[in-house]
Amino acid sequence: MNENILQTPYRIVEIFETLQGEGFNTGMPSIFIRFGKCNLACDWCDTNYHQYENKTLGDILATIRQFSAKNIIITGGEPTIQPHLERLLDRLKNEGYFLAIETNGLKPVPLQIDYIATSPKRLYQKNYLKHHIPFAHEVRIVVDSDVQDFCEQIEQSIKADRYYLSPCEKEGEMNLLETITQLGKLNARLNKPRWQLSIQTHKIAGIE
């Protein structure tokens, strides 16, 4: 690889290997590449995406080669706003990795991505009336208030294989009862997409 390409900088919060903790692929051994910065600002976000280091493409490749998993999850912050993202993804595809992304769904997803998990944010409901990705393999919406109308909006605008509700965690407490109550209301509708529950099981299991 051209030495100049290896010096391409990226804003990295952390890179680690663990098990996917939520959604359809729960339990899958995965390498997480977490980027800094986001185009939204949710008050319940559990990632300090303002604290990151600049690492080169070469640094990133050297780190992930230490791990055994072949599934990489690109996350953040918001990965789709990262400069030179496709350059990194091209290299990871060439090395045989399966590439998944976790995105808020407001900006296009690179073509190299194999699996799209999107988490539209109810706090920015009006933004999703203007632009959003058209498809995801799974949608996960955090229940940070009454999200019924927002879920119906997303059903109509983002086609997905699966739709999930996730509890909102604040100060270590998950609003699980509120989440399953809203889940029941969504699934009481006739001839509508079936919603499922997604919990951050990695936090319960005590892993990253």
Side-chain angles (χ1 to χ4, degrees):
M1 178 180 287
N2 185 293
E3 183 64 26
N4 290 333
I5 293 178
L6 286 173
Q7 296 305 311
T8 304
Y10 295 91
R11 302 179 294 237
I12 300 296
V13 175
E14 57 185 345
I15 301 174
F16 59 97
E17 185 177 32
T18 187
L19 302 179
Q20 169 62 285
E22 56 189 320
F24 181 70
N25 293 316
T26 294
M28 179 183 290
S30 302
I31 300 166
F32 281 76
I33 301 177
R34 188 180 303 283
F35 288 98
K37 293 199 174 182
C38 189
N39 54 348
L40 302 180
C42 304
D43 60 6
W44 43 261
C45 183
D46 59 2
T47 297
N48 190 346
Y49 49 80
H50 296 298
Q51 292 188 359
Y52 57 85
E53 298 180 44
N54 288 315
K55 293 185 180 292
T56 67
L57 192 155
D59 294 333
I60 295 170
L61 294 176
T63 299
I64 67 172
R65 286 170 181 158
Q66 301 175 48
F67 304 131
S68 60
K70 298 303 288 184
N71 178 57
I72 291 181
I73 299 175
I74 307 295
T75 187
E78 175 50 43
T80 62
I81 67 172
Q82 306 304 319
H84 314 297
L85 180 61
E86 294 194 5
R87 186 177 296 180
L88 171 62
L89 298 179
D90 280 339
R91 184 61 186 179
L92 296 176
K93 289 296 285 187
N94 288 339
E95 297 203 4
Y97 289 98
F98 182 88
L99 301 181
I101 194 169
E102 296 183 342
T103 173
N104 58 40
L106 287 173
K107 294 180 68 65
V109 170
L111 296 176
Q112 298 94 328
I113 295 296
D114 300 299
Y115 191 90
I116 303 170
T118 185
S119 180
K121 303 303 190 288
R122 192 273 319 162
L123 289 166
Y124 296 89
Q125 184 167 0
K126 292 182 179 179
N127 297 52
Y128 291 91
L129 293 172
K130 301 174 184 177
H131 47 82
H132 51 76
I133 59 175
F135 169 79
H137 295 89
E138 65 182 76
V139 166
R140 302 186 213 132
I141 291 180
V142 174
V143 180
D144 55 357
S145 65
D146 185 343
V147 297
Q148 301 290 296
D149 289 346
F150 185 53
C151 288
E152 292 182 359
Q153 173 185 324
I154 294 301
E155 284 175 348
Q156 296 171 17
S157 58
I158 301 179
K159 301 304 178 185
D161 295 334
R162 298 171 184 87
Y163 295 89
Y164 293 94
L165 285 189
S166 298
C168 183
E169 181 180 348
K170 291 184 178 180
E171 300 179 355
E173 295 292 328
M174 292 185 185
N175 60 341
L176 190 54
L177 177 58
E178 181 181 359
T179 300
I180 61 174
T181 298
Q182 293 198 42
L183 181 67
K185 291 179 180 178
L186 284 171
N187 288 332
R189 301 170 304 156
L190 298 177
N191 302 315
K192 298 293 184 180
R194 185 78 179 177
W195 288 72
Q196 302 175 69
L197 178 66
S198 176
I199 296 177
Q200 292 181 312
T201 60
H202 52 286
K203 294 182 178 180
I204 299 171
I207 59 176
E208 280 195 89

